[in-house]
Amino acid sequence: MKHSRFEFDGAEVLVVGASRAGIGAAIARAFQDAGARVAITGAEPEAAPEDRTRFAYTQLDVTDGETVRDFAARRERLDVLVNCAAITARGEEMAPDFFAHVVNVNLHGTFRMAEAFHAQLKAAKGVLVNIASMYATFGSPKNPAYGASKAAVVQLTKSLAIAWAGDGIRVNAVAPGFVVTQQSARSRTDPAHVAAVNLRTPMGRWGQPEDIAGPVLFLASDAAAFMTGTCLAIDGGYSVG
Ligand SMILES: NC(=O)c1ccc[n+]([C@@H]2O[C@H](COP(=O)([O-])OP(=O)(O)OC[C@H]3O[C@@H](n4cnc5c(N)ncnc54)[C@H](O)[C@@H]3O)[C@@H](O)[C@H]2O)c1
């Protein structure tokens, strides 16, 4: 995949939640291919093997406010922050404690990272891109915390867009459809579910992590200079079918 229309030469980019060779890693690679200096984080001790020599990596738990603040304080400059860290567990999110944990990672974690890097983004007149989900729109009976947290991420995106427009920071989100990653691995063991997604999706397939990278680079680029507070669906047409 080529992103030759987007140039990020010299830009400092941080992708949070890019350790599992999933969507975050694909976004990080695309920014690097477009000339950016890219750092990544994740919950794991190390990045995925294929990315270990490619990116500076930090293990960072987005639920730990003090560590997040220390991490941000060590970084002088940031042009683009991409919030990708999230969890979900199909069928387990009706348990109130786990529900709260999912919201803590997906929603509070997104806000913690954004708030911690506000000063750097303001100084750079930078860009924040949050990763939502089509479950921000659709009900999700087996993942109620995930759906609620992603709907809130879309709303947070709008609020931060307004709050930080005066600082020159643009804030947008993308809402991926069904994508082949570790996060979707459990649901993909159900052949009926895999087939139902393919059937309902006008483009007839699941997304690959690389499918999400292009729209994120677009939102971070000058091509989207008059866009803030929006959320782009990247779902092969699933949500319009
Ligand atoms: N895979 C899909 O079908 C799909 C669809 C829509 C949206 N998304 C979203 O895309 C983003 C990336 O998902 P993915 O499918 O690549 O998942 P993934 O499981 O491959 O990656 C999730 C990342 O979040 C990190 N993470 C988890 N808990 C964390 C914590 N407490 N602190 C810090 N980091 C933590 C993990 O280390 C990992 O790097 C997520 O926001 C996800 O909700 C995925």
Side-chain angles (χ1 to χ4, degrees):
M1 188 179 198
K2 287 196 171 143
H3 297 287
S4 52
R5 271 173 279 172
F6 300 111
E7 290 176 13
F8 288 92
D9 290 333
E12 296 276 346
V13 175
L14 175 65
V15 185
V16 178
S19 52
R20 289 189 197 155
I23 291 170
I27 292 168
R29 291 179 206 137
F31 271 113
Q32 194 177 63
D33 291 346
R37 280 196 292 273
V38 183
I40 65 172
T41 74
E44 290 75 18
E46 291 184 292
E50 56 268 51
D51 292 321
R52 277 180 203 159
T53 55
R54 222 176 148 153
F55 303 111
Y57 179 76
T58 306
Q59 181 179 25
L60 181 72
D61 181 352
V62 298
T63 68
D64 182 342
E66 202 177 323
T67 307
V68 166
R69 273 195 302 278
D70 289 348
F71 174 72
R74 288 199 300 276
R75 197 175 175 115
E76 273 183 26
R77 184 181 145 199
L78 189 64
D79 299 289
V80 179
L81 173 63
V82 182
N83 274 318
C84 249
I87 56 169
T88 187
R90 211 164 178 243
E92 293 173 27
E93 296 181 10
M94 290 292 181
D97 285 350
F98 190 64
F99 186 104
H101 179 55
V102 171
V103 174
N104 192 12
V105 174
N106 300 5
L107 172 62
H108 297 261
T110 294
F111 178 66
R112 269 186 207 101
M113 294 305 304
E115 194 276 333
F117 280 103
H118 180 202
Q120 290 92 330
L121 291 173
K122 181 178 176 180
K125 298 211 178 304
V127 177
L128 170 60
V129 182
N130 295 322
I131 310 302
S133 163
M134 78 171 123
Y135 283 129
T137 306
F138 291 107
S140 174
K142 292 197 163 61
N143 310 68
Y146 183 76
S149 70
K150 291 297 187 177
V153 164
V154 173
Q155 185 63 20
L156 176 66
T157 298
K158 295 177 188 176
S159 297
L160 292 181
I162 299 167
W164 292 352
D167 296 334
I169 303 169
R170 292 188 301 106
V171 184
N172 290 291
V174 298
F178 291 91
V179 182
V180 176
T181 69
Q182 282 188 41
Q183 193 184 82
S184 62
R186 202 196 301 185
S187 69
R188 283 183 288 109
T189 59
D190 176 356
H193 175 61
V194 172
V197 169
N198 287 338
L199 195 64
R200 158 99 193 247
T201 304
M203 293 183 74
R205 67 171 176 89
W206 285 55
Q208 294 297 322
E210 293 73 21
D211 289 319
I212 312 306
V216 171
L217 266 68
F218 162 66
L219 287 172
S221 77
D222 287 351
F226 198 48
M227 292 178 73
T228 199
T230 195
C231 181
L232 296 182
I234 314 170
D235 61 2
Y238 185 98
S239 57
V240 296

